[in-house]
Amino acid sequence: MKKFIFAEVVEIKHMIEDIYDMYVYAPEIAKNAKPGQFAEIYTGLGEAILPRPISFCEIIKEKGLIRFCFRVVGKGTKHFSEMKKGDKLRLLGPLGNGFEIPDAPQKSIVIGGGIGIPPLLELCKHLKGEVHVFLGTREEPILVEDFEKTGAIVHVCTENGCTGYHGYAITLVDELNIPADMIYSCGPKIMLKIVSDWAKKKNIRAQVSMEERMACGIGVCCGCAIKIQKKGEDDWHSLKVCKDGPVFWNDEVIW
Amino acid sequence: MNTSVNIAGVCFKNPVTTASGTFGSGKEYSEFFDLGRLGAVTVKGVATTEWKGNNCPRIAETYGGMLNSVGLQNPGVDYFIKNDIPFLRKYDTKIIVNICGHTVSEYCEVTERLSDEDIDLFELNISCPNVSAGGITFGTDAKMAETVVSEVKKYAKKPLIVKLTPNVTDITEIARAVVSGGADAVSLINTLKGMKIDINTRKAFLANKFGGLSGPAVKPVALRMVYEVNKAVDVPIIGMGGISNTEDALEFIMAGATMISVGTANFANPYATVEIVDGIKEYMEKNNIKDLSEIRGIIE
Ligand SMILES: Cc1cc2nc3c(=O)[nH]c(=O)nc-3n(C[C@H](O)[C@H](O)[C@H](O)COP(=O)(O)OP(=O)(O)OC[C@H]3O[C@@H](n4cnc5c(N)ncnc54)[C@H](O)[C@@H]3O)c2cc1C
Ligand SMILES: Cc1cc2nc3c(=O)[nH]c(=O)nc-3n(C[C@H](O)[C@H](O)[C@H](O)COP(=O)(O)O)c2cc1C
Ligand code: FES
């Protein structure tokens, strides 16, 4: 059940560049939240009426906390970054479908690009079996230690070569050619498409977390449409990233 | 105290409904409150068959509002009859079905298909700025507007509301035309055609280039139009455009609206509609108003 609540900011800190790390107390949302889901965060500003979709970076059920990790790109995220401990934010969540995680252990490859990295952290806490995580960023990597703590094997890739592998995450994935049962990915659409193509070539299914402009966030406005052709259907349909997604099977997306 | 209102013989428990396209068919919002608290649910546009809508991006936020170029995506009338009517009928509220089409015959076909179904009123959308054929082309020409309304009226066994576009020089001219075509009520306003440019890519932001502006930013324009139309025609008006709270709703009623619809405000606050239902009651109590007719259209 979705909840529309006022949540208190418990901790907020600057991470690197224009990226912020924020913990909010939202036990009603944390209780039912799954990796890959997100919340709409309301700005409370009269001129910025639409809520902002931000993924759960971590869901700490025992403490009722949700961790968000976000980049400042405009009015709304700027406003969130200026929140202080004790301030309250309106949240609607949990929203979307989240990642599909099999009960049995499997070999997983997890590929995150830029600000698509945070939602994969909660995912990695739930994956059983061997997990290879590829974190791709332009410059400084983020959340590396957090990912290591989940027990995953972490591969850092930077475009400027400041640390780790010098190049794109997907290039390293291809070079290492690690066998896997499932791929999980979140990042810019262009990266997801390359991941999807690679996955098809290797005959591995991939779950990709997609992004689109949203208004309602709950599936009523049809603002966030994505072209999806499900297995067995003879044509594509407009599905909703906010409700039917944000996670889709790579071989069902019309790229 | 009586919050109920009447449009073409249909009685609504209160004057609050939802703006088409901003509430789906109510399912999602029923997770937040009992839909039976609303005077009516106005559902998203229904067409003869599935419409897939425009390309993305379809949404752009603007100062105090938003642009959309959804393009009336909907699964078609058969799906609507099978799934949405039975769902909505579980609630003690009226059902207003918004009808869209590319041609007069499509409008008529949907209306005919729905006429014997368990719904309460039709709302004919001849005012969507986001589809190339049909929609707004009917709503901006008085003659065409009158023709399509009189044609649809032949098939409509339920009262017919006609939804007007603000993208005209004189909205009262279109209002008069649809009333002479047989409209039992008018609803206004649909969105205002607008655009946004991405200065980094140097391209129109919306894939469809233009979109419809809605939300608080359009309220003063919508209010003025409701006022003008109320002076021009004798049929009831459903007023909308930027209504976000009780004060906004009461302004529309005072300008002449019998009912009001909440649209974009649902996205900013899922409880906007029911907060307005309660707010209107409170205002009536406080000001000793027995019936909304005491304040409806009181602006000279
Ligand atoms: C499912 C989902 C999960 C996301 N998770 C995260 C996350 O964990 N961390 C993070 O930093 N960002 C995330 N984003 C992107 C984030 O939603 C945008 O960066 C944010 O909405 C920008 O808001 P703004 O007010 O700062 O920017 P503005 O440019 O002022 O926003 C204007 C409008 O555009 C929308 N918008 C702008 N950029 C995007 C975008 N990239 N995607 C969708 N809508 C956008 C805003 O929501 C708002 O409606 C996610 C997006 C989606 C769809
Ligand atoms: C996302 C979105 C979808 C809409 N879809 C429809 C529609 O299907 N049919 C219609 O008649 N109007 C549609 N409208 C217009 C609204 O019903 C309403 O007339 C307009 O948004 C003004 O009201 P508001 O400012 O309260 O949103 C849509 C508006 C929005 C924002
Ligand atoms: S944002 Fe409204 S349907 Fe997805």
Side-chain angles (χ1 to χ4, degrees), chain B residues 47-290:
Chain B
T48 48
T49 54
E50 178 189 9
W51 286 15
K52 291 179 172 178
N54 293 319
N55 283 338
C56 284
R58 295 174 170 186
I59 302 286
E61 191 181 66
T62 60
Y63 202 95
M66 62 175 276
L67 290 164
N68 90 80
S69 57
V70 168
L72 301 176
Q73 179 183 327
N74 78 91
V77 66
D78 291 327
Y79 180 96
F80 178 77
I81 291 173
K82 189 157 169 270
N83 298 280
D84 296 338
I85 298 177
F87 169 78
L88 281 169
R89 268 300 168 236
K90 293 191 292 187
Y91 298 91
D92 178 22
T93 189
K94 301 289 187 225
I95 305 174
I96 303 177
V97 183
N98 185 275
I99 307 285
C100 55
H102 296 114
T103 59
V104 175
S105 71
E106 282 183 19
Y107 282 116
C108 291
E109 190 184 329
V110 183
T111 309
E112 188 176 21
R113 288 277 285 113
L114 284 163
S115 257
D116 291 317
E117 297 294 331
D118 189 10
I119 60 157
D120 298 294
L121 296 93
F122 289 113
E123 177 179 62
L124 190 66
N125 177 7
I126 52 166
S127 46
C128 178
N130 296 323
V131 287
S132 49
I136 200 165
T137 44
F138 292 106
T140 49
D141 180 297
K143 269 228 162 58
M144 274 170 82
E146 183 173 345
T147 309
V148 64
V149 172
S150 60
E151 286 302 312
V152 170
K153 186 74 184 166
K154 292 179 192 158
Y155 298 92
K157 295 190 195 159
K158 317 273 168 166
L160 183 64
I161 305 160
V162 178
K163 186 157 175 183
L164 307 179
T165 172
N167 302 303
V168 289
T169 312
D170 180 6
I171 196 167
T172 62
E173 185 198 348
I174 312 289
R176 283 193 200 95
V178 301
V179 170
S180 73
D184 298 295
V186 291
S187 57
L188 62 144
I189 58 172
N190 207 314
T191 54
L192 284 144
K193 193 169 175 180
M195 79 184 290
K196 178 180 170 71
I197 291 169
D198 183 332
I199 58 164
N200 295 314
T201 60
R202 303 184 187 181
K203 289 195 175 121
F205 182 85
L206 297 170
N208 201 42
K209 195 179 283 180
F210 305 127
L213 180 66
S214 63
V218 309
K219 200 197 89 183
V221 177
L223 189 62
R224 183 264 296 176
M225 289 186 163
V226 165
Y227 172 84
E228 286 179 342
V229 168
N230 185 47
K231 298 284 179 226
V233 297
D234 278 334
V235 298
I237 297 171
I238 302 181
M240 72 192 92
I243 297 177
S244 310
N245 53 42
T246 305
E247 183 180 345
D248 296 343
L250 288 164
E251 282 189 71
F252 275 78
I253 292 170
M254 290 186 189
T258 297
M259 286 186 88
I260 61 96
S261 316
V262 180
T264 302
N266 292 305
F267 308 154
N269 171 10
Y271 293 99
T273 47
V274 281
E275 284 175 11
I276 293 172
V277 169
D278 293 342
I280 290 175
K281 266 186 215 139
E282 248 168 64
Y283 178 86
M284 290 174 75
E285 259 159 33
K286 215 169 165 184
N287 294 280
N288 201 20
I289 296 164
K290 302 253 164 355

Side-chain angles (χ1 to χ4, degrees), chain A residues 39-105:
Chain A
E40 286 278 23
I41 312 186
Y42 296 73
T43 70
L45 306 169
E47 73 269 26
I49 57 170
L50 299 178
R52 272 54 179 164
I54 305 286
S55 294
F56 300 140
C57 171
E58 279 195 85
I59 304 156
I60 308 160
K61 288 192 206 268
E62 322 81 74
K63 295 186 182 161
L65 294 180
I66 301 271
R67 180 184 190 186
F68 295 109
C69 179
F70 62 91
R71 167 172 279 152
V72 173
V73 298
K75 268 191 228 129
T77 45
K78 176 97 182 45
H79 180 70
F80 303 149
S81 74
E82 287 162 355
M83 289 283 127
K84 301 269 175 298
K85 185 175 182 294
D87 285 350
K88 289 195 165 176
L89 279 171
R90 267 225 185 272
L91 294 189
L92 174 63
L95 304 176
N97 57 356
F99 291 105
E100 221 175 279
I101 302 167
D103 291 331

Side-chain angles (χ1 to χ4, degrees), chain A residues 2 38-40 42 50-51 53 92-96 213-224 240-245, chain B residues 28-29 267:
Chain A
K2 302 173 193 80
F38 66 98
E40 286 278 23
Y42 296 73
L50 299 178
L92 174 63
L95 304 176
R213 301 279 159 158
M214 295 183 177
C216 69
I218 58 172
V220 303
C221 75
C222 299
C224 61
K240 295 157 189 166
V241 172
C242 69
K243 190 179 177 181
D244 306 308
Chain B
E28 290 78 9
Y29 285 101
F267 308 154

